Amino acid sequence: MATGLWKNVGNQVIFYQTQPQKVLMSRSKELRERARELPDDYYVVLVGDMITEEALPTYQTMLNTLDGVRDETGASLSSWAVWTRAWTAEENRHGDLLNKYLYLCGRVDMKQIEKTIQYLIGSGMDPRTENSPYLGFIYTSFQERERPSFPMGTLPADEKRHETAYTKIVEKLLEIDPDGTVLAIADMMRKKISMPAHLMYDGQDEQPLRTLLFCCTAARSLHCQGLR
Ligand SMILES: [Fe+2]
Ligand SMILES: [Fe+2]
């Protein structure tokens, strides 16, 4: 009998597959056919967003640098820690979704992309929030909005909800500590909201993020690292 992830067949345990192999094969063929006609610049945006989403360990680490709201044990029951873990769990499915789509579509060089993700997680990020929850939540309320929204599954709805949550935190801060919050907003604006993937490196191009942004606005016949 099937029990969640796996089932027993005879004396063997096999992973439970919800769709027969034939259906999976024809669906992935269908997906590749649909993907064939999409212009390259769509893929430049998807690759950039996927790499950014996949560096999720960095963002959870960043949230746990903030004084007073960090997850002290890794399984803390404080509301802040519960929120951060639930947020991380939702963000995790964004990278998964984009990664699986890009893998199946056959349009991009996955090895190059995976290398870039590995470099990016290894580099971390410095949003200059300096352990301050004020600066941290001002940063996240802007940053959630900057994520491009693709009509893919639950992704846009998650990002919208995240933006609403972080914006509400900043609204509450403005209500209970207007002076401190306005100073923090001014500080963050002076420092500028850096892209979460600002330390992106693909092993060849020193500034792939700049190249990526250039490619997004360039002519459709672009040729860019990570695309073939
Ligand atoms: Fe996300
Ligand atoms: Fe998000």
Side-chain angles (χ1 to χ4, degrees), residues 90-126:
E90 283 192 358
E91 287 293 347
N92 186 53
R93 59 193 190 189
H94 304 165
D96 284 358
L97 175 71
L98 291 166
N99 194 319
K100 285 187 183 84
Y101 173 76
L102 288 169
Y103 175 79
L104 289 170
C105 78
R107 289 279 305 269
V108 296
D109 181 348
M110 287 305 288
K111 188 177 175 192
Q112 189 62 42
I113 291 170
E114 293 294 353
K115 272 167 75 174
T116 307
I117 294 167
Q118 194 168 331
Y119 283 125
L120 183 59
I121 295 174
S123 303
M125 73 184 282
D126 180 14

Side-chain angles (χ1 to χ4, degrees), residues 49 52-54 56 59 87 90-95 98 143-144 147-148 155 158-159 162:
D49 196 45
T52 309
E53 295 276 5
E54 290 280 57
L56 180 59
Y59 316 136
W87 173 86
E90 283 192 358
E91 287 293 347
N92 186 53
R93 59 193 190 189
H94 304 165
L98 291 166
Q143 186 271 325
E144 288 283 357
R147 298 278 174 92
L155 201 155
D158 285 355
E159 302 296 27
H162 297 166

